[in-house]
Amino acid sequence: MGGAAVGAAVAAGALTAGAGNAAARAGERQGLRYRGVCYEVGDGDGPATAWSARRMRRDLRAIRHELHANSVSVYGTGVDRLAATASEAAEHGLHVWLQPRLADVPERDILDHLAETGRHAERMRRQGARVYLSVGCEFVLFVPGIVPGADALERVRNILKGNYDPERMVREVRRFVGLAAKTGRRVFRGPLTYGAAHDDDVDWSLFDLVSVNYYGYHGSARGYVKDLSPHTRWGKPVAITECGSCTYEGAPQDGGMGWYESVDYSVEPPVITGGLKRSERTQAAYLSDVFDVFESMNLHAALVYQFVSPELPHRPDSPRHDLDVASYGLAKVLRKRPEDPDSPWHWEPKESFRALAHRFARAERR
């Protein structure tokens, strides 16, 4: 955030002995093996933003053939949605990270949701798909009782205010990570991991890969390498399972908290706070910089958070209402009727999308 890890049978071509960082050092591979993006499935805030099979299929085609990603992290809630999206991704030849994120319910429900998702991942693996199972993401935010709060946002606020017991938090996270790892091993025989925050204390002996959600900012490559190098000490492939930046000047410095209090939802319609200035260039430059580092370190994978944020539409006509400023998405959402949350919408690529598409396509040709 312990016990001995159970050895997992590995799908051919997915994760082999000596793969990842060690293989690269031995000269077998240089740069990342998997480059991709996170794709959310879930209920959404309403009919317009809810998961749609038709939209999902279009999006995955774009992820593979326009973004030129070779990997996608399918995350969210609802076993049927997770299963359909993961299977569709595999049909497009994408390597799949399948990660359930059921939150704010009893622990037993979270573990049952994980087990059902893992059973589908195992069926995919047996059918030849390249799939990893991630047992969850940053449990301190999503599992009730580890820190006070009725939901993730309230828990974030309590952590920022110091309204929690740090020792108990570490102890409870380690306990639940152990339960999740045991659940995952019971149903899935492929590579197993967990989406940890960069500074989490995780017993990685439970897993096959070290997976880190990384939103750090440094003025030089050396700073990033110093941050990330400790994760390689386990001798296992290291994956950046989330990275990214919001879409305003100074967003990289705000890292994973760039979204926090960037939108004032107490007014209708919501407005951007603090005079934030939109900058697609800032987002694109940050991602280019960190991917340079990930490639140079020969990490196993890097996935951008995230593909699109339907609940944060772009308003080119009204900067104060341009909620995409607070989005980590590579694509921006444009509503047919800008002020109507139930309006049909489509997405268009940002500068970050185009920058990564060029990088990913170049890597494919190597």
Side-chain angles (χ1 to χ4, degrees), residues 85-105:
T85 306
S87 293
E88 182 73 17
E91 288 293 322
H92 286 282
L94 288 160
H95 167 268
V96 179
W97 307 70
L98 190 51
Q99 184 189 80
R101 287 194 192 179
L102 188 62
D104 306 329
V105 297

Side-chain angles (χ1 to χ4, degrees), residues 35-239:
R35 304 165 182 86
V37 67
C38 301
Y39 187 83
E40 184 175 13
V41 305
D43 291 328
D45 295 330
T49 57
W51 180 88
S52 155
R54 182 179 179 185
R55 184 181 296 279
M56 174 271 289
R57 288 191 290 267
R58 290 200 305 263
D59 289 348
L60 289 174
R61 284 196 298 270
I63 288 170
R64 182 67 191 99
H65 301 293
E66 296 177 35
L67 185 60
H68 302 290
N70 65 1
S71 189
V72 63
S73 173
V74 176
Y75 76 93
T77 62
V79 175
D80 289 345
R81 289 188 294 262
L82 287 162
T85 306
S87 293
E88 182 73 17
E91 288 293 322
H92 286 282
L94 288 160
H95 167 268
V96 179
W97 307 70
L98 190 51
Q99 184 189 80
R101 287 194 192 179
L102 188 62
D104 306 329
V105 297
E107 290 184 0
R108 185 71 263 164
D109 293 350
I110 293 173
L111 294 174
D112 287 346
H113 185 260
L114 165 60
E116 285 300 306
T117 305
R119 290 186 185 100
H120 181 76
E122 177 62 11
R123 288 191 291 271
M124 289 178 60
R125 187 191 71 84
R126 290 181 178 180
Q127 293 165 4
R130 296 174 299 155
V131 57
Y132 296 170
L133 178 65
S134 176
V135 300
C137 172
E138 300 184 32
F139 287 147
V140 68
L141 300 181
F142 298 111
V143 177
I146 295 176
V147 298
D151 56 29
L153 182 57
E154 190 173 339
R155 292 178 198 117
V156 167
R157 289 172 178 155
N158 280 324
I159 290 171
L160 292 174
K161 293 176 182 177
N163 296 337
Y164 69 102
D165 180 338
E167 292 183 1
R168 182 181 185 279
M169 180 188 74
V170 171
R171 184 170 64 250
E172 286 298 295
V173 169
R174 288 180 69 89
R175 176 188 64 82
F176 196 73
V177 166
L179 290 174
K182 184 177 180 180
T183 300
R185 292 290 187 200
R186 191 174 70 245
V187 297
F188 182 67
R189 298 293 178 263
L192 197 73
T193 192
Y194 164 69
H198 166 57
D199 56 356
D200 280 351
D201 178 16
V202 175
D203 179 4
W204 290 111
S205 71
L206 298 170
F207 299 102
D208 302 297
L209 301 98
V210 176
S211 295
V212 180
N213 299 338
Y214 183 71
Y215 294 89
Y217 173 80
H218 295 279
S220 68
R222 182 178 299 176
Y224 294 113
V225 172
K226 183 178 180 181
D227 255 0
L228 294 170
S229 291
H231 297 297
T232 67
R233 66 185 172 85
W234 291 87
K236 299 185 177 188
V238 175

